[in-house]
Amino acid sequence: MISKSEIVDSDQSRLMEELLRFLSHESAGVKGFDRMPPAWSELNKLISAGGKVPAKSDDAMEVISAWHQETRDLSLILSRQTEAIVTERLPRSHRGDPATRQRDGLAELRDKCRLTASLDIPNAASSLEIVADLQRRSVDVGMTLRAPEDRKSSKARVSWLLRQIKSNAPADLQVRLNWPGRSEATQFTHAALVDDPSIVDRDKEGLQVLSFHIFISRRLGARFTQQVNFVSDLEEVVPEFYREIGQNLSPWRKSAPRIKEDRETAEDVSTEALSEEHEE
């Protein structure tokens, strides 16, 4: 469902209502994605035992196809919850080319043992990033924000971020800080940063944090490997992050330039005035 403000006339409104009534009726047979295939459990067993996903694996390809179904379902769930059109963010090479998307998904699964997705939510601070990590049996859901450049210290930049997050944030909320050059990223719990924002400067003296990745890292344990529970837990944590954290975040934007005190009138910036200023 989309916001009623996006429906331009009464005829369109009636059509939307009829469509929603049809899709909601059990006889329509329209059902959300609710389970991973049996190959999901087998793939998890392989990785848990230290095995590597083969270059040609029917199980892996089946899992990747199911993952793509689930990410489409997640975008529909968020669309209904927000009454906005949420879409998957795909690189140009994947748009209209499912084979390339499958191939790249397999490469990421083999190399990093993970499945990823990115969702675009209208007017949100950034894309919603989702990672299912088969080695850690965890789901990470987060967003990345550019640090405010008008704050000089990293502590002040972190304080800017913390003011946007509710004090009763989820216990497993993490903040990863990205630094300039080859300086490695650092990571802290939200609770630790609230307790002492100055910890961001440890081993980073003289550097300014460039961006933040704010995310929930939810370890699912055995439920991660289960076909139904993995999907149900994923569909719980993704909306939870956006509801509790993501929808409250605002991106930093450089302030508009201000008129200088000595240039408030047209006469102050006439050719003659500027010429005299230059001569001084």
Side-chain angles (χ1 to χ4, degrees), residues 1-226:
M1 181 178 179
I2 60 175
S3 172
K4 291 179 181 178
S5 63
E6 298 180 46
I7 298 176
V8 297
D9 56 42
S10 58
D11 288 340
Q12 191 177 48
S13 177
R14 283 195 295 272
L15 285 173
M16 286 296 296
E17 289 174 1
E18 289 300 321
L19 177 61
L20 287 171
R21 189 177 296 113
F22 166 74
L23 294 176
S24 301
H25 198 280
E26 59 182 17
S27 64
V30 178
K31 186 179 180 182
F33 186 83
D34 62 0
R35 69 181 59 222
M36 296 295 280
W40 174 248
S41 300
E42 296 304 315
L43 200 63
N44 273 283
K45 287 179 185 176
L46 172 66
I47 291 173
S48 179
K52 186 173 177 63
V53 178
K56 293 183 179 180
S57 168
D58 291 338
D59 281 353
M61 297 305 283
E62 188 177 0
V63 163
I64 291 166
S65 293
W67 173 251
H68 292 165
Q69 284 183 266
E70 171 57 13
T71 56
R72 283 195 297 272
D73 213 38
L74 284 169
S75 68
L76 291 172
I77 290 170
L78 285 170
S79 293
R80 291 193 291 267
Q81 291 178 321
T82 61
E83 293 193 346
I85 300 175
V86 178
T87 57
E88 292 186 78
R89 186 181 185 87
L90 299 176
R92 184 174 299 177
S93 60
H94 291 179
R95 299 172 198 166
D97 191 348
T100 297
R101 189 182 181 193
Q102 287 273 103
R103 185 177 66 248
D104 291 348
L106 177 60
E108 184 171 40
L109 187 58
R110 294 186 71 245
D111 296 341
K112 299 181 180 180
C113 297
R114 68 182 196 178
L115 300 164
T116 61
S118 183
L119 303 181
D120 276 341
I121 302 173
N123 302 314
S126 72
S127 297
L128 191 66
E129 300 164 41
I130 305 165
V131 178
D133 191 317
L134 280 73
Q135 285 183 323
R136 295 173 58 238
R137 294 185 177 182
S138 66
V139 171
D140 292 356
V141 187
M143 299 170 73
T144 299
L145 294 186
R146 177 184 174 189
E149 296 171 7
D150 56 353
R151 271 75 165 180
K152 298 303 180 185
S153 70
S154 291
K155 179 182 175 182
R157 293 182 176 195
V158 167
S159 295
W160 168 86
L161 174 68
L162 295 178
R163 284 194 290 273
Q164 300 190 49
I165 301 174
K166 296 187 295 186
S167 58
N168 60 340
D172 47 5
L173 184 66
Q174 308 278 329
V175 180
R176 183 179 303 126
L177 294 86
N178 299 309
W179 302 88
R182 296 185 178 181
S183 188
E184 292 185 359
T186 52
Q187 185 171 312
F188 304 93
T189 64
H190 170 257
L193 288 172
V194 169
D195 186 57
D196 182 10
S198 67
I199 60 176
V200 299
D201 290 321
R202 291 177 185 172
D203 303 320
K204 300 293 183 181
E205 291 80 3
L207 296 178
Q208 294 174 316
V209 62
L210 296 180
S211 64
F212 308 104
H213 182 62
I214 311 97
F215 65 105
I216 285 177
S217 185
R218 187 68 49 84
R219 289 185 176 271
L220 303 182
R223 292 178 63 87
F224 186 94
T225 68
Q226 297 164 0

